[in-house]
């Protein structure tokens, strides 16, 4: 589900079924890496909305956690973890972070396997059908992470 | 000098009728076009979208079929991709099922659950449907999967809109 009134209406009715939140982590940079961060943004936006489509009935995709790419690692991490504990307090069982920014890999351990890092694939100049195929493949691979986690708890 | 001299009055009459006629026509034509337009448009009827699937290639095994069309949403036109699970049933009739789970709207997959082969399986809450789209009792979904209207033209499968399954 997305954070729109129509979906939230459904959420309120079936709250016990929706126990997972996805937070995209998206960096912004206007220094030397402008383009590569833009690429991550494009890729991750499409990817997360495709994941949302696949798992609409169990996942809420919230607006991305956006940060200045050059800002301090520790502060970013703390803020993201704050989000997580807040959602867990709200009764969600799983909070997943998904990002293309490899800087997060350094603090991966603090996220206890809820940080999913995917390398951004340049989409510009790609054929439309090919683009879609590739995204499908990515979604499928990430899907297994969710499925496994859900199966484990069952 | 010609014998038929056109008087100043005649000349002005001709030119003014001519120009006035054009101007009136310029205004009336679009109005007429608007009035007639719905009649011309109606021929289209329901929208069927062409898929890349050749009907002859369909087998009894459901295949995932993506098809896209333009959708206009207020001031924003986007290309929407929908998916269908398509196969031929035992009588050789084409069945096109919508992959949207009737529970909470996830996307169901064919034959992905090891414990329950040859069924549609929803990864979110483990809902299941038999091959003909009927929901398996005891799993979360309460209704069968929607199915698409379809037609065949030149050996290619065209899909229409998804309609709820008729209650059996």
């Amino acid at each position: 589900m997305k954070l729109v009134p129509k979906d939230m209406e459904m959420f309120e009715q079936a709250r016990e079924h929706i126990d997972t939140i996805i937070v995209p982590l998206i960096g912004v940079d206007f220094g030397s890496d402008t383009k590569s961060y833009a690429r991550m943004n494009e890729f991750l936006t499409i990817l997360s909305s495709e994941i949302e489509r696949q798992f609409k009935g169990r996942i809420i995709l919230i607006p991305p956690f956006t940060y200045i790419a050059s800002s301090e690692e520790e502060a970013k991490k703390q803020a993201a973890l704050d989000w997580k504990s807040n959602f867990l307090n709200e009764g969600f069982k799983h909070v997943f972070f998904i990002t293309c920014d490899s800087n997060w890999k350094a603090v991966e351990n603090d996220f206890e396997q809820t940080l999913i890092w995917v390398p951004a694939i340049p989409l510009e100049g790609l054929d439309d059908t090919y683009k879609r195929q590739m995204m499908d493949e990515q979604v499928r691979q990430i899907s297994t992470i969710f499925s496994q986690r859900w199966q484990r708890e069952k | 000098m010609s014998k038929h001299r056109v008087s100043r009055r005649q000349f002005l009459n001709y030119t003014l009728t001519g120009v006035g006629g054009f101007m009136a026509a310029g205004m009336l034509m679009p109005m007429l076009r608007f009035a007639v337009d719905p009649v011309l448009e109606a021929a289209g009827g329901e929208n069927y979208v062409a898929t890349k699937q050749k009907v002859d290639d369909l087998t009894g095994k459901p295949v995932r079929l993506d098809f896209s069309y333009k959708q206009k949403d207020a001031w924003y036109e986007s290309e929407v991709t929908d998916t269908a699970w398509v196969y031929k049933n035992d009588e050789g009739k084409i069945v096109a099922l919508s992959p949207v789970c009737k529970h909470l709207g996830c996307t169901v997959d064919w034959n992905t659950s090891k414990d329950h082969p040859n069924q549609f399986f929803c990864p979110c809450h483990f809902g299941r449907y038999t091959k003909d789209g009927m929901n398996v009792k005891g799993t979360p979904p309460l209704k069968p999967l929607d199915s698409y209207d379809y037609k065949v033209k030149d050996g290619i499968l065209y899909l229409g809109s998804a309609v709820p399954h008729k209650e059996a």
Side-chain angles (χ1 to χ4, degrees):
Chain A
M1 291 177 191
K2 292 185 172 132
L3 216 55
V4 293
K6 202 176 104 214
D7 285 359
M8 286 306 106
E9 225 166 76
M10 213 158 98
F11 168 64
E12 276 161 6
Q13 282 162 17
R15 197 170 173 135
E16 72 276 15
H17 290 295
I18 299 133
D19 62 357
T20 305
I21 281 195
I22 294 195
V23 188
L25 302 171
I26 294 180
V28 181
D29 179 75
F30 291 111
S32 50
D33 278 336
T34 311
K35 209 173 160 194
S36 72
Y37 275 99
R39 183 173 296 140
M40 293 177 204
N41 174 36
E42 184 187 29
F43 183 83
L44 197 61
T45 306
I46 299 173
L47 185 70
S48 51
S49 77
E50 283 299 303
I51 293 173
E52 187 270 339
R53 199 161 76 113
Q54 174 80 41
F55 294 117
K56 195 179 179 54
R58 187 154 180 182
I59 276 178
I60 296 181
L61 172 68
I62 62 165
F65 176 87
T66 315
Y67 52 90
I68 303 295
S70 57
S71 68
E72 206 230 325
E73 221 54 60
E74 194 60 28
K76 278 189 286 195
K77 185 192 85 186
Q78 212 46 57
L81 286 175
D82 278 353
W83 282 36
K84 182 179 171 182
S85 56
N86 185 277
F87 297 140
L88 291 176
N89 286 340
E90 289 286 344
F92 291 97
K93 292 205 192 93
H94 308 278
V95 179
F96 287 103
F97 295 90
I98 178 164
T99 188
C100 296
D101 186 348
S102 53
N103 289 330
W104 289 96
K105 288 288 273 181
V107 292
E108 197 176 27
N109 286 337
D110 297 317
F111 284 92
E112 290 156 352
Q113 296 172 30
T114 56
L115 182 77
I116 303 166
W117 176 75
V118 269
I121 300 163
L123 295 174
E124 56 263 42
L126 273 189
D127 181 49
D128 222 31
T129 38
Y130 184 63
K131 214 189 278 185
R132 217 172 275 283
Q133 259 175 24
M134 210 184 59
M135 273 298 172
D136 273 354
E137 195 46 48
Q138 292 281 340
V139 172
R140 199 162 312 208
Q141 292 190 7
I142 294 169
S143 300
T144 55
I145 299 177
F146 296 127
S147 303
Q148 276 167 10
R149 199 61 66 89
W150 289 336
Q151 290 276 1
R152 205 184 302 166
E153 131 200 352
K154 195 170 75 160
Chain B
M1 275 291 177
S2 106
K3 285 183 187 141
H4 294 286
R5 294 206 52 183
V6 180
S7 70
R8 178 185 305 235
R9 174 174 303 221
Q10 266 174 321
F11 172 76
L12 280 174
N13 266 344
Y14 289 148
T15 41
L16 279 180
T17 342
V19 171
F22 271 117
M23 280 166 70
M27 276 163 62
L28 284 172
M29 283 294 282
M31 289 187 196
L32 238 130
R33 183 60 233 264
F34 277 126
V36 179
D37 197 57
V39 184
L40 299 174
E41 202 76 338
E46 210 185 334
N47 290 323
Y48 282 88
V49 184
T51 63
K52 290 193 181 71
Q53 182 66 42
K54 287 200 191 78
V55 175
D56 294 340
D57 295 346
L58 284 173
T59 60
K61 187 175 173 288
V63 285
R64 205 189 132 126
L65 213 58
D66 291 320
F67 60 102
S68 43
Y69 54 92
K70 293 245 174 7
Q71 188 182 58
K72 211 168 167 192
D73 184 12
W75 47 83
Y76 177 74
E77 194 180 83
S78 55
E79 183 155 339
V80 186
T81 303
D82 264 346
T83 308
W85 286 102
V86 187
Y87 66 95
K88 273 184 185 151
N89 67 10
D90 296 338
E91 292 125 53
K93 241 183 109 215
I94 296 169
V95 180
L97 293 171
S98 155
V100 179
C101 181
K102 292 308 265 184
H103 180 218
L104 287 169
C106 299
T107 309
V108 301
D109 227 332
W110 170 251
N111 207 6
T112 44
S113 167
K114 284 193 196 79
D115 305 333
H116 306 283
N118 291 322
Q119 285 185 337
F120 290 104
F121 178 69
C122 175
C124 291
H125 304 100
F126 317 116
R128 285 182 281 128
Y129 303 86
T130 54
K131 193 177 175 185
D132 55 359
M134 299 303 287
N135 49 312
V136 174
K137 293 277 178 314
T139 64
L142 297 172
K143 271 183 278 181
L145 291 173
D146 290 349
S147 60
Y148 285 102
D149 286 333
Y150 72 92
K151 65 182 181 187
V152 180
K153 211 164 95 184
D154 303 327
I156 299 281
L157 183 69
Y158 284 69
L159 292 177
S161 47
V163 286
H165 194 280
K166 292 172 279 299
E167 289 300 325

